[in-house]
Amino acid sequence: MSRRVVEINGRRLSLANLEKDLYPSYGFTKARILEYYRRIAPYMLPHLQGRALTLKRYPDGVAKEFFFEKRCPSHRPEWVKTAQVAINGAEPIFACVAEDLETLLWAENLASLELHVPLARAATPDRPDAMVFDLDPGEPAGVPESAKVALILRDLLSRMGLESMGKTSGKKGLHVYVPLNRTEATFEQTKTFSRAVAGILQRHYPDLVTANMAKEERRSKVFINWSQNDAKKTMICVYSLRAEERPSVSFPFTWDELEDAVRLADPALLKVLHDEAVRRAEERGDRFRDVLSRAQILPHL
Amino acid sequence: MAVRGMWSGTISFSLVAIPVYLVKAVEPGRISFRLLHTREYSPLARRMVCPEDGAAVGWDEIVRGYEAGPEQFIVVTDEELASLSPERSRTIEISEFIDLADVDPVYFDRPYYLVPAKGGEKAYSLLVEVLRRANKAGLAKFVFGEREYLVAVSSRDGALAVITLHYHDAVRSEEGMAPKEAMAPKEAMAAADEAEVERINGVMKAMLGEFDPAKYADSRKHAIRELLASKAHAQAPVEAPALPGEEAEGPADLVAALEESMRQVKAR
Amino acid sequence: MGATIWKGAIRFNGIDVPVKLHTAVSEERIQFHLLHRSDKARLRQQMICALEKEPVPPEEQARGFEVEEGKYLIVEPGEIDSLTPESSRVIEVQEFVKSSRIDPFYLDHVYYLEPDSANVLSKRYGLVVKALQDLGAVGICTWSMRKRSHFGALQATGTTLRLWTLRYADEILPAASLGLKEAVLSEKELSIGSELIAKMSGPFVPAKYADEHEKKLRDLIERKARGEKIEIRPPRERQATQEDKLLEALEASLKKAA
């Protein structure tokens, strides 16, 4: 077993199993995963700031079992920041908060390939920064159908005076975010609003869209999961790797890129792997940053 | 860092007042399970139910009652509770400083930390540092929930630690525990007992070690983890059913506005 | 002296001391019940199915460990029971440590020990008290009681043995993880602050502090029972001392204490 001690910002971190291949059918070792997160960190960290992290750990690679950890492991170094989160009035737990490179790499050393975060910050757990539409295609529907729904959604929201931004899920789905960034916003509001929007889309595009969670209703349609607008739920963080066969990334797209993908009928345009993610981020910066700053009000509530 | 407190208010000593949050300092490391319905595996929620009609009652329909007689309740509201000590429900006011070493540990109950709220960082640092230098703890009373707590506030690794203390009348006397002969003065001890003390002392010395709490781990917790890991290998997890698609509706105003916008989008 | 809550033996290196455990702290407080606002009926607690919104009887309840949102590993009651430590009635001392005081954050529950005089070996009790005091040590023990494994400390105070249950190290949050930042303080602020603390210091006299709240609460209930109207007083919050006024506030405090 290889072990390497690195020092980041004056903090020592012991990295283990660096040569372990966590994406065996593609070939992507833990060393390369750490390298990916190191390079993507400047763009990703602002989106992790102040948020209770849920770690999805794959100690034996993407093909093997994983752990879903909301509780920050108790063997954490002292400098790993935590936040107390109380879910549904239960005993509060301590969750990790990754606000610096060393914490991010510490989490990755635990093989936390996927990093999931709530829509609200830990200090204000009932106040979402954004409203989200999680577009989840049911087989045989896939990325093209999701892209069509995302474009309709963008147009509808825009008529309602709301700007939206999108990212891929890193799997087959797409995530459309409506930044709010206002202390008055509540999950009750975002849920009411997103549910009404999903209902309208289902009514107008019954063959393409469903707002119903039942599995059988979701076949060959795009399920608009509005229920993600909830203090208890988490979303895959933008720039996180996914535990797919290949190291794909949940990556922001521009609406032009999405229109191109639909026009050219080329869903591959929306599949962003690790190297492409780093290249694009370094070239164009964080395309998702407005999600953290643009302030908007949900109308008619 | 953003920490969500279980209580927020101010801690004060004399004329200095510091805005703070109270947070837990210990977290029971128990592995938590969720109760599920055996039929569908949908999660169960603990709810208060009305015995009359068996219906679950929402939190806004629940009041707190003191049982004054059979089926006779006196309702006490949150506002009335807060009115009992209005000066203590938002402020931990230190009335004096003591040596924590003077407190019999039997008084200690639960530990917490205070963290400074915005604008309180400097005065907080000051209190941490002067308590550390003087090796003192501040005594205060404050009201939290339905109770009033006596607390000792001390400096711990750069933070303010709060330990709730039991009240004097809650701590029982140790009198009557020890056998009479143990009270006897040393000279009265029999030679045989002296030898036995020597022997016991020798055994204890041989067993002397350096206290390292981290050496001791909850073996049951560990065993449950192992059980869960082996189960994860052996069986697929069950999936809770999605809650039925509630009618995707909304406030009439919003739905009307969305319909109008949708019409415009489609007309393009 | 309260009732015996558990009986067992302290054991170290084959030496047994039979003891009985007594609770050291007993708190009695006013109990409230939860009532239905409309008819003041007393409510019962039940487990409600999220799907069917109906109460679920205990025989239809299963325990699940959440591995992913909405996905559970089912754990049978027997499986957990088999992991539950059997009560052995032996409090095994693993080691003795020189210690005048254990970090209060570790201290959980405390029991007073009484020699179990039904057993002749209990005569050792007094000798163990003396030996521990001579050595200036406490015993670190492990045992299981009431289906839980415990880790604790055996301590001699005066003529009595106390047994503490200790919290496990991984249950205690280090102060460093609060992410506090140290503020810059002037020597003047620190010295006035220290002087103020010295002025406000005294001995710890626990009897001085009674639970006044509980008395007030009883009084409130009595007044309500008589049908008196209760005046609502809003909570009073102190104005936070502003950063640039800290020195001023310290100086004024010192003057007041003088």
Side-chain angles (χ1 to χ4, degrees):
Chain A
M1 187 173 88
S2 72
R3 213 164 239 294
R4 221 181 99 203
V5 176
V6 293
E7 196 176 299
I8 309 158
N9 300 331
R11 282 155 176 173
R12 289 165 68 81
L13 187 57
S14 168
L15 305 172
N17 288 331
L18 289 172
E19 75 292 353
K20 191 162 183 175
D21 194 351
L22 297 179
Y23 287 84
S25 62
Y26 177 85
F28 202 54
T29 61
K30 194 149 114 194
R32 297 186 63 194
I33 288 162
L34 286 161
E35 176 60 12
Y36 168 74
Y37 276 105
R38 187 187 69 78
R39 289 186 65 182
I40 209 74
Y43 314 100
M44 184 175 194
L45 284 173
H47 298 276
L48 294 169
Q49 204 76 14
R51 286 175 214 270
L53 200 53
T54 296
L55 308 176
K56 208 167 166 188
R57 296 172 58 187
Y58 291 79
D60 294 309
V62 295
K64 296 282 173 57
E65 75 213 65
F66 60 86
F67 307 99
F68 204 68
E69 278 186 344
K70 282 189 191 289
R71 226 176 249 276
C72 194
S74 55
H75 50 73
R76 60 184 177 257
E78 283 207 338
W79 43 261
V80 167
K81 287 180 186 161
T82 59
Q84 295 200 26
V85 285
I87 301 163
N88 268 359
E91 273 280 287
I93 60 162
F94 288 102
C96 315
V97 181
E99 304 199 323
D100 46 42
L101 180 62
E102 52 271 35
T103 304
L104 181 59
L105 295 189
W106 166 78
E108 290 315 316
N109 186 44
L110 302 176
S112 315
L113 302 184
E114 296 193 352
L115 299 175
H116 296 248
V117 285
L119 289 162
R121 287 163 203 257
T124 47
D126 309 321
R127 308 283 165 171
D129 293 340
M131 173 172 68
V132 74
F133 295 89
D134 179 355
L135 309 184
D136 184 9
E139 293 279 339
V143 178
E145 288 80 4
S146 301
K148 258 184 229 162
V149 175
L151 289 171
I152 298 168
L153 198 49
R154 172 202 61 178
D155 291 344
L156 175 61
L157 291 168
S158 148
R159 299 261 161 193
M160 297 291 288
L162 294 167
E163 194 185 338
S164 55
M165 288 120 212
K167 68 179 176 77
T168 65
S169 71
K171 295 184 168 179
K172 290 209 174 84
L174 299 175
H175 300 155
V176 176
Y177 280 63
V178 178
L180 302 172
N181 297 303
R182 300 180 61 90
T183 51
E184 312 88 89
T186 64
F187 277 110
E188 204 180 327
Q189 290 173 352
T190 54
K191 194 177 274 182
T192 301
F193 197 99
S194 58
R195 187 166 131 191
V197 168
I200 295 282
L201 258 71
Q202 175 179 266
R203 199 148 53 218
H204 286 268
Y205 300 89
D207 299 329
L208 182 63
V209 172
T210 177
N212 194 325
M213 296 211 200
K215 277 257 154 70
E216 57 275 20
E217 291 288 326
R218 285 153 67 171
R219 245 194 84 73
S220 73
K221 289 179 197 166
V222 176
F223 169 47
I224 302 184
N225 189 355
W226 47 269
S227 73
Q228 288 295 113
N229 292 295
D230 191 302
K232 296 187 297 272
K233 298 290 179 69
T234 60
M235 295 292 296
I236 185 83
C237 186
V238 66
Y239 305 116
S240 171
L241 288 174
R242 297 310 304 257
E244 293 283 273
E245 226 169 86
R246 297 186 296 162
S248 59
V249 175
S250 177
F251 201 81
F253 54 74
T254 64
W255 291 116
D256 288 346
E257 283 167 354
L258 197 67
E259 278 176 356
D260 283 349
V262 169
R263 191 162 32 85
L264 303 172
D266 185 0
L269 288 175
L270 290 170
K271 191 91 180 167
V272 179
L273 295 190
H274 63 100
D275 43 356
E276 178 70 6
V278 170
R279 195 185 63 74
R280 284 200 208 175
E282 286 178 351
E283 195 178 290
R284 309 171 195 170
D286 176 14
R287 279 261 166 92
F288 220 49
R289 64 175 167 265
D290 284 355
V291 169
L292 298 175
S293 57
R294 181 107 166 72
Q296 303 190 97
I297 303 176
L298 294 179
H300 301 289
L301 281 182
Chain B
M1 185 204 45
V3 179
R4 190 193 185 195
M6 45 209 299
W7 176 92
S8 70
T10 51
I11 179 165
S12 72
F13 60 105
S14 195
L15 301 172
V16 179
I18 312 162
V20 285
Y21 297 100
L22 186 74
V23 301
K24 294 202 306 182
V26 294
E27 172 189 38
R30 264 171 246 151
I31 293 175
S32 59
F33 291 98
R34 185 81 197 248
L35 281 179
L36 306 173
H37 199 170
T38 45
R39 257 186 282 155
E40 295 262 26
Y41 301 119
S42 63
L44 306 183
R46 202 179 297 278
R47 296 290 297 276
M48 299 311 292
V49 170
C50 184
E52 307 288 320
D53 53 6
V57 175
W59 286 110
D60 50 343
E61 291 174 62
I62 296 177
V63 291
R64 179 194 296 106
Y66 175 78
E67 194 168 19
E71 293 307 300
Q72 222 193 311
F73 292 98
I74 294 167
V75 172
V76 177
T77 65
D78 288 346
E79 292 75 21
E80 287 169 347
L81 270 181
S83 289
L84 291 179
S85 311
E87 65 288 351
R88 284 193 182 141
S89 56
R90 312 295 311 153
T91 305
I92 301 174
E93 186 172 353
I94 295 175
S95 53
E96 62 176 334
F97 293 91
I98 54 152
D99 279 329
L100 205 54
D102 285 349
V103 182
D104 182 338
V106 79
Y107 282 95
F108 293 151
D109 192 4
R110 289 185 68 79
Y112 299 88
Y113 288 113
L114 290 173
V115 293
K118 211 168 156 51
E121 294 86 353
K122 188 173 172 188
Y124 179 95
S125 280
L126 178 98
L127 186 55
V128 168
E129 181 57 17
V130 293
L131 286 176
R132 190 190 67 76
R133 289 186 181 185
N135 196 19
K136 293 274 183 192
L139 272 188
K141 276 171 130 189
F142 86 110
V143 173
F144 177 39
E146 290 173 4
R147 289 184 57 179
E148 182 176 66
Y149 294 85
L150 175 63
V151 297
V153 183
S154 59
S155 171
R156 183 186 173 94
D157 302 333
L160 287 179
V162 172
I163 299 181
T164 58
L165 303 178
H166 295 295
Y167 283 102
H168 184 59
D169 58 5
V171 174
R172 292 183 165 175
S173 162
E174 273 171 301
E175 218 164 289
M177 286 295 150
K180 291 275 181 297
E181 57 265 37
M183 315 263 218
K186 199 182 161 199
E187 309 84 68
M189 195 177 269
D193 283 348
E194 291 272 20
E196 182 71 356
V197 170
E198 276 303 301
R199 186 171 82 92
I200 291 174
N201 220 316
V203 169
M204 286 180 178
K205 265 188 196 145
M207 289 174 73
L208 267 183
E210 199 61 42
F211 184 44
D212 174 15
K215 261 197 326 210
Y216 296 87
D218 187 346
S219 54
R220 180 165 185 264
K221 187 167 83 185
H222 184 72
I224 293 178
R225 282 236 178 84
E226 299 219 310
L227 170 76
L228 290 171
S230 72
K231 281 186 95 75
H233 265 291
Q235 71 179 48
V238 299
E239 196 168 344
L243 296 178
E246 296 162 51
E247 261 320 281
E249 277 295 335
D253 209 24
L254 172 64
V255 174
L258 284 169
E259 279 290 357
E260 174 56 23
S261 300
M262 195 75 245
R263 201 185 52 73
Q264 291 172 14
V265 169
K266 285 180 121 175
R268 257 197 339 181
Chain C
M1 189 166 71
T4 300
I5 62 149
W6 196 76
K7 268 196 219 185
I10 308 278
R11 176 179 295 165
F12 54 99
N13 200 28
I15 301 176
D16 273 20
V17 188
V19 290
K20 297 189 211 170
L21 267 63
H22 296 264
T23 47
V25 178
S26 67
E27 288 181 321
E28 248 181 273
R29 27 194 84 263
I30 294 175
Q31 288 295 316
F32 286 107
H33 298 284
L34 296 181
L35 313 176
H36 204 160
R37 188 187 289 277
S38 55
D39 57 3
K40 307 292 179 286
R42 187 166 159 186
L43 302 172
R44 280 177 293 131
Q45 189 172 284
Q46 277 192 321
M47 301 309 293
I48 305 285
C49 174
L51 188 68
E52 295 166 0
K53 311 273 184 221
E54 290 287 320
V56 174
E59 63 274 16
E60 284 179 39
Q61 298 175 6
R63 269 208 283 193
F65 177 76
E66 193 169 27
V67 285
E68 192 180 351
E69 272 170 17
K71 288 188 182 171
Y72 302 88
L73 283 174
I74 298 295
V75 179
E76 308 294 338
E79 289 177 307
I80 292 290
D81 288 346
S82 68
L83 303 177
T84 301
E86 290 198 22
S87 294
S88 67
R89 301 268 161 214
V90 173
I91 299 163
E92 184 89 43
V93 181
Q94 304 293 341
E95 59 182 338
F96 289 91
V97 298
K98 291 262 192 188
S99 163
S100 46
R101 261 176 110 78
I102 293 173
D103 177 355
F105 271 38
Y106 280 92
L107 302 175
D108 195 2
H109 281 98
V110 58
Y111 303 95
Y112 295 145
L113 301 186
E114 184 196 6
D116 185 359
S117 51
N119 188 318
V120 65
L121 291 174
S122 69
K123 282 207 316 210
R124 283 183 181 144
Y125 184 99
L127 308 181
V128 169
V129 170
K130 178 150 192 332
L132 279 173
Q133 279 170 345
D134 286 355
L135 197 60
V138 296
I140 303 299
C141 352
T142 56
W143 73 101
S144 34
M145 180 170 81
R146 301 202 179 123
K147 299 190 172 184
R148 295 188 58 86
S149 41
H150 292 282
F151 145 57
L154 177 72
Q155 191 189 26
T157 52
T159 54
T160 307
L161 288 176
R162 286 179 183 176
L163 182 70
W164 294 92
T165 59
L166 299 179
R167 298 187 174 99
Y168 290 104
D170 64 359
E171 297 180 355
I172 292 170
L173 177 77
S177 67
L178 296 171
L180 301 178
K181 290 185 185 69
E182 233 176 281
V184 181
L185 299 162
S186 72
E187 214 29 66
K188 191 168 181 198
E189 287 163 332
L190 287 167
S191 68
I192 297 181
S194 299
E195 215 179 314
L196 182 58
I197 284 192
K199 283 243 161 67
M200 291 174 72
S201 287
F204 177 57
V205 185
K208 240 175 31 183
Y209 295 90
D211 190 349
E212 291 152 25
H213 197 71
E214 196 79 357
K215 288 190 208 101
K216 289 184 198 163
L217 186 51
R218 280 185 203 284
D219 183 52
L220 169 83
I221 289 168
E222 271 167 36
R223 285 171 56 204
K224 288 204 78 165
R226 288 198 297 268
E228 281 180 37
K229 185 150 168 43
I230 306 299
E231 185 201 345
I232 297 297
R233 297 185 294 168
R236 281 210 299 273
E237 188 150 15
R238 291 272 306 259
Q239 194 75 36
T241 309
Q242 285 180 359
E243 217 163 273
D244 53 352
K245 299 275 164 57
L246 180 59
L247 186 61
E248 210 173 291
L250 286 168
E251 281 170 337
S253 298
L254 195 60
K255 206 174 276 174
K256 198 173 146 229

